[in-house]
Amino acid sequence: MQNKRFSVKARIVAMAVIPAVILSAVILVLGILFMKAGMEEEIQKGLMASAYVYKDIAVHVTDREAGDNENETMLKDLTGYDYTWFDGDTRKNSSLGSSVIGTKAADGVIKEVINNGHTYSSTNTQVAGKPYFVAYVPVKDDAGNVYAMAFTGVSRESVSAQINKSIMIMAIISVALLIVAVLVAFRSATAMAGAVGEISKSIKALADGRFVKAKKYLNRNDEIGSALNDTNTLIDGLKEIVGNIRESASAVGTSSGQLSDMANQISQTAEDVSNAVQEIASGATQQADEIQNASTNVGYIGDAVGDVQTSTSNLESLAGKMKEASEVSSASLSSLQESSGEMTAKIDEISETIHRTQDAVDTISEKVEGITNIATQTNLLSLNASIEAARAGDAGKGFAVVAQEIGKLAEDSKIMADDIKKQMEELLEQAGAAVVAAKDVKDANLEQQASLGETIQSINGMINDINDTVGGVQTISSGAERCDTSKNAVVDVMSALSAISEENAASSEETGASMQELSATVTTLAGSANGLKDIADKLNRDMEFFKE
């Protein structure tokens, strides 16, 4: 059993999850950094804006006593910032409490704001012994001289707490989205691996000679579902064709066995007839030599003529049977040749079906390539969207998350498309191997057709020889009848009887030669029949590779 660590499902999940985890971690870290920097910048802007508002409010209540912190406390409750009014460089009113009243600002603040008349902001300035985000705004009189400062600040501790809270929320959302992505990837990988496994199971069974159709995932509306249904169609076609080939091979084996037995029987009969004809020829020659002294043996001659008539009648009947048997053999071989032609056509249909499967796989590969291109373009669009979202600041945060997810989905699609393409290439290689196997079967079948054609020609030649033999036998029968008619007038027609005897001897010799040729032809036919039987046995052994 294949190790699960190397299964298609595990690889798909790993290729989908590992990059997603790494990408999520990188984006989360970058998001935290950008968010932290953005929040600090926004706080600085907010502090500066609050300082200007506070200045506009405080310039109208400058007659307050030092330590009257009511306005500053109220503003802190409303905004969460600390506010301090400086009389020159000295704190007069502050939400920080009475402990800071009468203390002076830092030297750098005094130089920048009081002396130079500029605003001052910082992310790490010590205020009341704590680090603060601060904003100082100068307050000028009509002559342009700075006579006071408005301060707004917030402790780094509270800012850090707010930032950490936002980071925690972002991390939780990222982890949740990552878990959802992993679950989706796992489910998709499970379905895809199962479908590919069904195809692999069917092809593996076909390689073992078994016809096993896929039963699951047939309702998928994608290319894998089409591949599963096409595989089942291919298996049905191959099963039907192999069944037809098996039946034809069995018929060839049976017919070749019958033909071989019949040829052996005809050979034995031809040998017996040849021996009989040789005996007739020998008797006719001896009769011609002794015909002058045969007057007293006319009765014996009549008996011999009767024997010749009987033999020729039997020979004519036997030759007719041989002709009928040869015609039956020729018809059987012609039928076998037609079956072999049909089998060649079926093999061509197999090759055409496999070629159509290869064309379908090529089409699938082109579509997968298109999916890969779309995933690449989608990934670029996602990256551009992320950049634009970062530029938008807080307003683009939600869009940045969506862009991030689109980028992950595009990468997942590209990885899955690449894996499908690899599987299709393997299927294409296996279909090519099937085409080669079909061509080998077709070549063997064509060789069989050639052998059948030669055998049919041999049998047709044998039929012609048998027709000649029948003619010779009829000639012998005719001569025997004339001998029987003339036996009572043998003395008067001795010369004619001698000529007839010589004619009988010549006919017997011709018949003997024809029977020898017939015997040789039948021997050749028997050899061809045995060769045909060997071909049929080999074809049957090849068909045993395929199981029902």
Side-chain angles (χ1 to χ4, degrees), residues 273-308:
V273 172
S274 178
N275 292 332
V277 171
Q278 291 295 332
E279 291 177 0
I280 292 173
S282 177
T285 301
Q286 185 177 1
Q287 181 183 5
D289 293 338
E290 298 179 356
I291 195 168
Q292 296 298 327
N293 299 321
S295 297
T296 58
N297 296 319
V298 171
Y300 298 108
I301 294 173
D303 295 336
V305 170
D307 293 336
V308 170

PDB file of all heavy atoms in Angstrom, residues 273-308:
ATOM      1  N   VAL A 273      -6.592 -44.276 -52.838  1.00  0.00           N
ATOM      2  CA  VAL A 273      -7.003 -44.210 -54.240  1.00  0.00           C
ATOM      3  C   VAL A 273      -5.798 -44.321 -55.164  1.00  0.00           C
ATOM      4  O   VAL A 273      -5.826 -45.005 -56.196  1.00  0.00           O
ATOM      5  CB  VAL A 273      -7.785 -42.908 -54.491  1.00  0.00           C
ATOM      6  CG1 VAL A 273      -8.043 -42.729 -55.989  1.00  0.00           C
ATOM      7  CG2 VAL A 273      -9.107 -42.934 -53.745  1.00  0.00           C
ATOM      8  N   SER A 274      -4.704 -43.662 -54.795  1.00  0.00           N
ATOM      9  CA  SER A 274      -3.495 -43.712 -55.620  1.00  0.00           C
ATOM     10  C   SER A 274      -2.968 -45.141 -55.732  1.00  0.00           C
ATOM     11  O   SER A 274      -2.569 -45.590 -56.818  1.00  0.00           O
ATOM     12  CB  SER A 274      -2.435 -42.791 -55.015  1.00  0.00           C
ATOM     13  OG  SER A 274      -1.250 -42.854 -55.766  1.00  0.00           O
ATOM     14  N   ASN A 275      -2.985 -45.851 -54.605  1.00  0.00           N
ATOM     15  CA  ASN A 275      -2.525 -47.256 -54.639  1.00  0.00           C
ATOM     16  C   ASN A 275      -3.427 -48.103 -55.535  1.00  0.00           C
ATOM     17  O   ASN A 275      -2.954 -48.949 -56.321  1.00  0.00           O
ATOM     18  CB  ASN A 275      -2.511 -47.825 -53.232  1.00  0.00           C
ATOM     19  CG  ASN A 275      -1.441 -47.170 -52.370  1.00  0.00           C
ATOM     20  OD1 ASN A 275      -0.422 -46.700 -52.896  1.00  0.00           O
ATOM     21  ND2 ASN A 275      -1.657 -47.150 -51.066  1.00  0.00           N
ATOM     22  N   ALA A 276      -4.741 -47.841 -55.417  1.00  0.00           N
ATOM     23  CA  ALA A 276      -5.674 -48.609 -56.254  1.00  0.00           C
ATOM     24  C   ALA A 276      -5.465 -48.315 -57.732  1.00  0.00           C
ATOM     25  O   ALA A 276      -5.494 -49.220 -58.587  1.00  0.00           O
ATOM     26  CB  ALA A 276      -7.115 -48.283 -55.845  1.00  0.00           C
ATOM     27  N   VAL A 277      -5.263 -47.063 -58.066  1.00  0.00           N
ATOM     28  CA  VAL A 277      -5.039 -46.682 -59.468  1.00  0.00           C
ATOM     29  C   VAL A 277      -3.748 -47.301 -59.994  1.00  0.00           C
ATOM     30  O   VAL A 277      -3.666 -47.748 -61.141  1.00  0.00           O
ATOM     31  CB  VAL A 277      -5.031 -45.151 -59.597  1.00  0.00           C
ATOM     32  CG1 VAL A 277      -4.570 -44.740 -60.992  1.00  0.00           C
ATOM     33  CG2 VAL A 277      -6.419 -44.603 -59.334  1.00  0.00           C
ATOM     34  N   GLN A 278      -2.718 -47.345 -59.167  1.00  0.00           N
ATOM     35  CA  GLN A 278      -1.459 -47.972 -59.585  1.00  0.00           C
ATOM     36  C   GLN A 278      -1.662 -49.457 -59.884  1.00  0.00           C
ATOM     37  O   GLN A 278      -1.100 -50.011 -60.845  1.00  0.00           O
ATOM     38  CB  GLN A 278      -0.398 -47.780 -58.499  1.00  0.00           C
ATOM     39  CG  GLN A 278       0.059 -46.344 -58.338  1.00  0.00           C
ATOM     40  CD  GLN A 278       0.775 -45.825 -59.560  1.00  0.00           C
ATOM     41  OE1 GLN A 278       1.397 -46.583 -60.324  1.00  0.00           O
ATOM     42  NE2 GLN A 278       0.658 -44.506 -59.781  1.00  0.00           N
ATOM     43  N   GLU A 279      -2.468 -50.095 -59.053  1.00  0.00           N
ATOM     44  CA  GLU A 279      -2.756 -51.512 -59.306  1.00  0.00           C
ATOM     45  C   GLU A 279      -3.506 -51.693 -60.618  1.00  0.00           C
ATOM     46  O   GLU A 279      -3.245 -52.617 -61.402  1.00  0.00           O
ATOM     47  CB  GLU A 279      -3.568 -52.080 -58.143  1.00  0.00           C
ATOM     48  CG  GLU A 279      -2.775 -52.192 -56.850  1.00  0.00           C
ATOM     49  CD  GLU A 279      -3.630 -52.692 -55.706  1.00  0.00           C
ATOM     50  OE1 GLU A 279      -4.832 -52.944 -55.935  1.00  0.00           O
ATOM     51  OE2 GLU A 279      -3.097 -52.842 -54.582  1.00  0.00           O
ATOM     52  N   ILE A 280      -4.474 -50.765 -60.888  1.00  0.00           N
ATOM     53  CA  ILE A 280      -5.226 -50.839 -62.152  1.00  0.00           C
ATOM     54  C   ILE A 280      -4.286 -50.657 -63.336  1.00  0.00           C
ATOM     55  O   ILE A 280      -4.374 -51.368 -64.347  1.00  0.00           O
ATOM     56  CB  ILE A 280      -6.340 -49.784 -62.158  1.00  0.00           C
ATOM     57  CG1 ILE A 280      -7.410 -50.127 -61.120  1.00  0.00           C
ATOM     58  CG2 ILE A 280      -6.973 -49.675 -63.534  1.00  0.00           C
ATOM     59  CD1 ILE A 280      -8.461 -49.049 -60.945  1.00  0.00           C
ATOM     60  N   ALA A 281      -3.371 -49.704 -63.227  1.00  0.00           N
ATOM     61  CA  ALA A 281      -2.423 -49.454 -64.317  1.00  0.00           C
ATOM     62  C   ALA A 281      -1.549 -50.674 -64.565  1.00  0.00           C
ATOM     63  O   ALA A 281      -1.273 -51.054 -65.718  1.00  0.00           O
ATOM     64  CB  ALA A 281      -1.570 -48.244 -63.981  1.00  0.00           C
ATOM     65  N   SER A 282      -1.084 -51.300 -63.481  1.00  0.00           N
ATOM     66  CA  SER A 282      -0.240 -52.491 -63.634  1.00  0.00           C
ATOM     67  C   SER A 282      -1.011 -53.624 -64.314  1.00  0.00           C
ATOM     68  O   SER A 282      -0.516 -54.316 -65.211  1.00  0.00           O
ATOM     69  CB  SER A 282       0.261 -52.931 -62.260  1.00  0.00           C
ATOM     70  OG  SER A 282       1.019 -54.125 -62.375  1.00  0.00           O
ATOM     71  N   GLY A 283      -2.292 -53.794 -63.880  1.00  0.00           N
ATOM     72  CA  GLY A 283      -3.093 -54.857 -64.506  1.00  0.00           C
ATOM     73  C   GLY A 283      -3.370 -54.573 -65.961  1.00  0.00           C
ATOM     74  O   GLY A 283      -3.363 -55.496 -66.802  1.00  0.00           O
ATOM     75  N   ALA A 284      -3.636 -53.319 -66.294  1.00  0.00           N
ATOM     76  CA  ALA A 284      -3.930 -52.983 -67.691  1.00  0.00           C
ATOM     77  C   ALA A 284      -2.710 -53.215 -68.578  1.00  0.00           C
ATOM     78  O   ALA A 284      -2.828 -53.691 -69.722  1.00  0.00           O
ATOM     79  CB  ALA A 284      -4.385 -51.543 -67.783  1.00  0.00           C
ATOM     80  N   THR A 285      -1.534 -52.906 -68.089  1.00  0.00           N
ATOM     81  CA  THR A 285      -0.305 -53.124 -68.884  1.00  0.00           C
ATOM     82  C   THR A 285      -0.072 -54.620 -69.114  1.00  0.00           C
ATOM     83  O   THR A 285       0.279 -55.065 -70.230  1.00  0.00           O
ATOM     84  CB  THR A 285       0.888 -52.530 -68.151  1.00  0.00           C
ATOM     85  OG1 THR A 285       0.658 -51.138 -67.947  1.00  0.00           O
ATOM     86  CG2 THR A 285       2.165 -52.703 -68.956  1.00  0.00           C
ATOM     87  N   GLN A 286      -0.247 -55.401 -68.066  1.00  0.00           N
ATOM     88  CA  GLN A 286      -0.073 -56.853 -68.210  1.00  0.00           C
ATOM     89  C   GLN A 286      -1.102 -57.426 -69.175  1.00  0.00           C
ATOM     90  O   GLN A 286      -0.820 -58.333 -69.962  1.00  0.00           O
ATOM     91  CB  GLN A 286      -0.187 -57.514 -66.832  1.00  0.00           C
ATOM     92  CG  GLN A 286       0.104 -59.003 -66.861  1.00  0.00           C
ATOM     93  CD  GLN A 286       0.045 -59.605 -65.463  1.00  0.00           C
ATOM     94  OE1 GLN A 286      -0.229 -58.900 -64.492  1.00  0.00           O
ATOM     95  NE2 GLN A 286       0.319 -60.889 -65.369  1.00  0.00           N
ATOM     96  N   GLN A 287      -2.349 -56.869 -69.109  1.00  0.00           N
ATOM     97  CA  GLN A 287      -3.402 -57.315 -70.017  1.00  0.00           C
ATOM     98  C   GLN A 287      -3.014 -57.041 -71.462  1.00  0.00           C
ATOM     99  O   GLN A 287      -3.249 -57.879 -72.358  1.00  0.00           O
ATOM    100  CB  GLN A 287      -4.707 -56.611 -69.667  1.00  0.00           C
ATOM    101  CG  GLN A 287      -5.875 -57.025 -70.544  1.00  0.00           C
ATOM    102  CD  GLN A 287      -7.131 -56.245 -70.203  1.00  0.00           C
ATOM    103  OE1 GLN A 287      -7.080 -55.350 -69.390  1.00  0.00           O
ATOM    104  NE2 GLN A 287      -8.239 -56.586 -70.849  1.00  0.00           N
ATOM    105  N   ALA A 288      -2.397 -55.877 -71.731  1.00  0.00           N
ATOM    106  CA  ALA A 288      -2.007 -55.530 -73.105  1.00  0.00           C
ATOM    107  C   ALA A 288      -0.919 -56.475 -73.631  1.00  0.00           C
ATOM    108  O   ALA A 288      -0.894 -56.833 -74.815  1.00  0.00           O
ATOM    109  CB  ALA A 288      -1.528 -54.099 -73.145  1.00  0.00           C
ATOM    110  N   ASP A 289       0.009 -56.902 -72.753  1.00  0.00           N
ATOM    111  CA  ASP A 289       1.100 -57.802 -73.176  1.00  0.00           C
ATOM    112  C   ASP A 289       0.589 -59.209 -73.491  1.00  0.00           C
ATOM    113  O   ASP A 289       1.128 -59.924 -74.355  1.00  0.00           O
ATOM    114  CB  ASP A 289       2.154 -57.864 -72.090  1.00  0.00           C
ATOM    115  CG  ASP A 289       2.878 -56.530 -71.899  1.00  0.00           C
ATOM    116  OD1 ASP A 289       2.863 -55.717 -72.862  1.00  0.00           O
ATOM    117  OD2 ASP A 289       3.428 -56.288 -70.785  1.00  0.00           O
ATOM    118  N   GLU A 290      -0.414 -59.655 -72.797  1.00  0.00           N
ATOM    119  CA  GLU A 290      -0.847 -61.045 -72.944  1.00  0.00           C
ATOM    120  C   GLU A 290      -2.175 -61.178 -73.693  1.00  0.00           C
ATOM    121  O   GLU A 290      -2.798 -62.250 -73.682  1.00  0.00           O
ATOM    122  CB  GLU A 290      -1.009 -61.664 -71.559  1.00  0.00           C
ATOM    123  CG  GLU A 290       0.289 -61.717 -70.764  1.00  0.00           C
ATOM    124  CD  GLU A 290       0.097 -62.308 -69.372  1.00  0.00           C
ATOM    125  OE1 GLU A 290      -1.074 -62.595 -69.034  1.00  0.00           O
ATOM    126  OE2 GLU A 290       1.087 -62.462 -68.643  1.00  0.00           O
ATOM    127  N   ILE A 291      -2.615 -60.091 -74.362  1.00  0.00           N
ATOM    128  CA  ILE A 291      -3.947 -60.106 -74.959  1.00  0.00           C
ATOM    129  C   ILE A 291      -4.074 -61.147 -76.086  1.00  0.00           C
ATOM    130  O   ILE A 291      -5.166 -61.679 -76.333  1.00  0.00           O
ATOM    131  CB  ILE A 291      -4.320 -58.706 -75.446  1.00  0.00           C
ATOM    132  CG1 ILE A 291      -5.809 -58.632 -75.709  1.00  0.00           C
ATOM    133  CG2 ILE A 291      -3.499 -58.301 -76.656  1.00  0.00           C
ATOM    134  CD1 ILE A 291      -6.320 -57.228 -75.925  1.00  0.00           C
ATOM    135  N   GLN A 292      -2.933 -61.452 -76.797  1.00  0.00           N
ATOM    136  CA  GLN A 292      -2.986 -62.426 -77.892  1.00  0.00           C
ATOM    137  C   GLN A 292      -3.274 -63.833 -77.371  1.00  0.00           C
ATOM    138  O   GLN A 292      -3.825 -64.675 -78.082  1.00  0.00           O
ATOM    139  CB  GLN A 292      -1.657 -62.409 -78.659  1.00  0.00           C
ATOM    140  CG  GLN A 292      -1.366 -61.073 -79.356  1.00  0.00           C
ATOM    141  CD  GLN A 292      -2.393 -60.717 -80.399  1.00  0.00           C
ATOM    142  OE1 GLN A 292      -2.977 -61.609 -81.076  1.00  0.00           O
ATOM    143  NE2 GLN A 292      -2.656 -59.431 -80.560  1.00  0.00           N
ATOM    144  N   ASN A 293      -2.839 -64.063 -76.121  1.00  0.00           N
ATOM    145  CA  ASN A 293      -3.044 -65.399 -75.528  1.00  0.00           C
ATOM    146  C   ASN A 293      -4.216 -65.409 -74.558  1.00  0.00           C
ATOM    147  O   ASN A 293      -4.367 -66.349 -73.762  1.00  0.00           O
ATOM    148  CB  ASN A 293      -1.789 -65.839 -74.781  1.00  0.00           C
ATOM    149  CG  ASN A 293      -0.582 -65.949 -75.709  1.00  0.00           C
ATOM    150  OD1 ASN A 293      -0.714 -66.399 -76.855  1.00  0.00           O
ATOM    151  ND2 ASN A 293       0.587 -65.545 -75.218  1.00  0.00           N
ATOM    152  N   ALA A 294      -5.062 -64.329 -74.604  1.00  0.00           N
ATOM    153  CA  ALA A 294      -6.117 -64.199 -73.589  1.00  0.00           C
ATOM    154  C   ALA A 294      -7.471 -64.663 -74.078  1.00  0.00           C
ATOM    155  O   ALA A 294      -8.486 -64.419 -73.404  1.00  0.00           O
ATOM    156  CB  ALA A 294      -6.216 -62.756 -73.141  1.00  0.00           C
ATOM    157  N   SER A 295      -7.505 -65.339 -75.270  1.00  0.00           N
ATOM    158  CA  SER A 295      -8.809 -65.734 -75.819  1.00  0.00           C
ATOM    159  C   SER A 295      -9.520 -66.703 -74.890  1.00  0.00           C
ATOM    160  O   SER A 295     -10.753 -66.651 -74.724  1.00  0.00           O
ATOM    161  CB  SER A 295      -8.628 -66.374 -77.200  1.00  0.00           C
ATOM    162  OG  SER A 295      -8.081 -65.441 -78.102  1.00  0.00           O
ATOM    163  N   THR A 296      -8.739 -67.604 -74.314  1.00  0.00           N
ATOM    164  CA  THR A 296      -9.341 -68.596 -73.426  1.00  0.00           C
ATOM    165  C   THR A 296      -9.684 -68.027 -72.056  1.00  0.00           C
ATOM    166  O   THR A 296     -10.315 -68.685 -71.229  1.00  0.00           O
ATOM    167  CB  THR A 296      -8.379 -69.778 -73.251  1.00  0.00           C
ATOM    168  OG1 THR A 296      -7.149 -69.288 -72.721  1.00  0.00           O
ATOM    169  CG2 THR A 296      -8.138 -70.475 -74.570  1.00  0.00           C
ATOM    170  N   ASN A 297      -9.185 -66.782 -71.817  1.00  0.00           N
ATOM    171  CA  ASN A 297      -9.412 -66.179 -70.460  1.00  0.00           C
ATOM    172  C   ASN A 297     -10.402 -65.020 -70.513  1.00  0.00           C
ATOM    173  O   ASN A 297     -10.335 -64.086 -69.701  1.00  0.00           O
ATOM    174  CB  ASN A 297      -8.086 -65.687 -69.887  1.00  0.00           C
ATOM    175  CG  ASN A 297      -7.112 -66.823 -69.654  1.00  0.00           C
ATOM    176  OD1 ASN A 297      -7.496 -67.893 -69.187  1.00  0.00           O
ATOM    177  ND2 ASN A 297      -5.848 -66.582 -69.984  1.00  0.00           N
ATOM    178  N   VAL A 298     -11.289 -65.074 -71.540  1.00  0.00           N
ATOM    179  CA  VAL A 298     -12.239 -63.959 -71.691  1.00  0.00           C
ATOM    180  C   VAL A 298     -13.142 -63.844 -70.444  1.00  0.00           C
ATOM    181  O   VAL A 298     -13.484 -62.745 -69.990  1.00  0.00           O
ATOM    182  CB  VAL A 298     -13.084 -64.158 -72.970  1.00  0.00           C
ATOM    183  CG1 VAL A 298     -14.225 -63.135 -73.039  1.00  0.00           C
ATOM    184  CG2 VAL A 298     -12.221 -64.065 -74.205  1.00  0.00           C
ATOM    185  N   GLY A 299     -13.475 -65.002 -69.916  1.00  0.00           N
ATOM    186  CA  GLY A 299     -14.344 -64.939 -68.724  1.00  0.00           C
ATOM    187  C   GLY A 299     -13.660 -64.219 -67.558  1.00  0.00           C
ATOM    188  O   GLY A 299     -14.284 -63.428 -66.831  1.00  0.00           O
ATOM    189  N   TYR A 300     -12.339 -64.509 -67.455  1.00  0.00           N
ATOM    190  CA  TYR A 300     -11.607 -63.814 -66.390  1.00  0.00           C
ATOM    191  C   TYR A 300     -11.544 -62.298 -66.637  1.00  0.00           C
ATOM    192  O   TYR A 300     -11.607 -61.490 -65.699  1.00  0.00           O
ATOM    193  CB  TYR A 300     -10.185 -64.374 -66.277  1.00  0.00           C
ATOM    194  CG  TYR A 300     -10.151 -65.844 -65.895  1.00  0.00           C
ATOM    195  CD1 TYR A 300      -9.783 -66.813 -66.840  1.00  0.00           C
ATOM    196  CD2 TYR A 300     -10.476 -66.245 -64.621  1.00  0.00           C
ATOM    197  CE1 TYR A 300      -9.769 -68.160 -66.498  1.00  0.00           C
ATOM    198  CE2 TYR A 300     -10.458 -67.588 -64.273  1.00  0.00           C
ATOM    199  CZ  TYR A 300     -10.106 -68.543 -65.205  1.00  0.00           C
ATOM    200  OH  TYR A 300     -10.098 -69.856 -64.856  1.00  0.00           O
ATOM    201  N   ILE A 301     -11.402 -61.988 -67.972  1.00  0.00           N
ATOM    202  CA  ILE A 301     -11.366 -60.562 -68.299  1.00  0.00           C
ATOM    203  C   ILE A 301     -12.677 -59.889 -67.922  1.00  0.00           C
ATOM    204  O   ILE A 301     -12.719 -58.760 -67.428  1.00  0.00           O
ATOM    205  CB  ILE A 301     -11.056 -60.366 -69.793  1.00  0.00           C
ATOM    206  CG1 ILE A 301      -9.628 -60.841 -70.132  1.00  0.00           C
ATOM    207  CG2 ILE A 301     -11.226 -58.902 -70.213  1.00  0.00           C
ATOM    208  CD1 ILE A 301      -9.316 -60.836 -71.618  1.00  0.00           C
ATOM    209  N   GLY A 302     -13.822 -60.599 -68.190  1.00  0.00           N
ATOM    210  CA  GLY A 302     -15.123 -60.014 -67.823  1.00  0.00           C
ATOM    211  C   GLY A 302     -15.209 -59.753 -66.326  1.00  0.00           C
ATOM    212  O   GLY A 302     -15.708 -58.711 -65.868  1.00  0.00           O
ATOM    213  N   ASP A 303     -14.675 -60.728 -65.557  1.00  0.00           N
ATOM    214  CA  ASP A 303     -14.683 -60.511 -64.090  1.00  0.00           C
ATOM    215  C   ASP A 303     -13.829 -59.314 -63.691  1.00  0.00           C
ATOM    216  O   ASP A 303     -14.198 -58.502 -62.804  1.00  0.00           O
ATOM    217  CB  ASP A 303     -14.177 -61.778 -63.392  1.00  0.00           C
ATOM    218  CG  ASP A 303     -15.100 -62.968 -63.592  1.00  0.00           C
ATOM    219  OD1 ASP A 303     -16.299 -62.719 -63.860  1.00  0.00           O
ATOM    220  OD2 ASP A 303     -14.637 -64.109 -63.458  1.00  0.00           O
ATOM    221  N   ALA A 304     -12.638 -59.213 -64.359  1.00  0.00           N
ATOM    222  CA  ALA A 304     -11.752 -58.084 -64.037  1.00  0.00           C
ATOM    223  C   ALA A 304     -12.405 -56.752 -64.391  1.00  0.00           C
ATOM    224  O   ALA A 304     -12.294 -55.751 -63.655  1.00  0.00           O
ATOM    225  CB  ALA A 304     -10.421 -58.232 -64.790  1.00  0.00           C
ATOM    226  N   VAL A 305     -13.149 -56.735 -65.551  1.00  0.00           N
ATOM    227  CA  VAL A 305     -13.841 -55.503 -65.947  1.00  0.00           C
ATOM    228  C   VAL A 305     -14.900 -55.137 -64.911  1.00  0.00           C
ATOM    229  O   VAL A 305     -15.100 -53.959 -64.572  1.00  0.00           O
ATOM    230  CB  VAL A 305     -14.452 -55.668 -67.348  1.00  0.00           C
ATOM    231  CG1 VAL A 305     -15.381 -54.496 -67.671  1.00  0.00           C
ATOM    232  CG2 VAL A 305     -13.361 -55.783 -68.406  1.00  0.00           C
ATOM    233  N   GLY A 306     -15.612 -56.163 -64.409  1.00  0.00           N
ATOM    234  CA  GLY A 306     -16.607 -55.860 -63.362  1.00  0.00           C
ATOM    235  C   GLY A 306     -15.952 -55.252 -62.124  1.00  0.00           C
ATOM    236  O   GLY A 306     -16.496 -54.324 -61.504  1.00  0.00           O
ATOM    237  N   ASP A 307     -14.757 -55.787 -61.765  1.00  0.00           N
ATOM    238  CA  ASP A 307     -14.042 -55.213 -60.616  1.00  0.00           C
ATOM    239  C   ASP A 307     -13.641 -53.759 -60.874  1.00  0.00           C
ATOM    240  O   ASP A 307     -13.702 -52.894 -59.965  1.00  0.00           O
ATOM    241  CB  ASP A 307     -12.791 -56.043 -60.313  1.00  0.00           C
ATOM    242  CG  ASP A 307     -13.145 -57.442 -59.819  1.00  0.00           C
ATOM    243  OD1 ASP A 307     -14.268 -57.590 -59.296  1.00  0.00           O
ATOM    244  OD2 ASP A 307     -12.300 -58.344 -59.930  1.00  0.00           O
ATOM    245  N   VAL A 308     -13.213 -53.518 -62.149  1.00  0.00           N
ATOM    246  CA  VAL A 308     -12.831 -52.143 -62.478  1.00  0.00           C
ATOM    247  C   VAL A 308     -14.026 -51.216 -62.351  1.00  0.00           C
ATOM    248  O   VAL A 308     -13.918 -50.095 -61.836  1.00  0.00           O
ATOM    249  CB  VAL A 308     -12.248 -52.093 -63.906  1.00  0.00           C
ATOM    250  CG1 VAL A 308     -12.073 -50.650 -64.367  1.00  0.00           C
ATOM    251  CG2 VAL A 308     -10.917 -52.824 -63.952  1.00  0.00           C
TER     252      VAL A 308
END
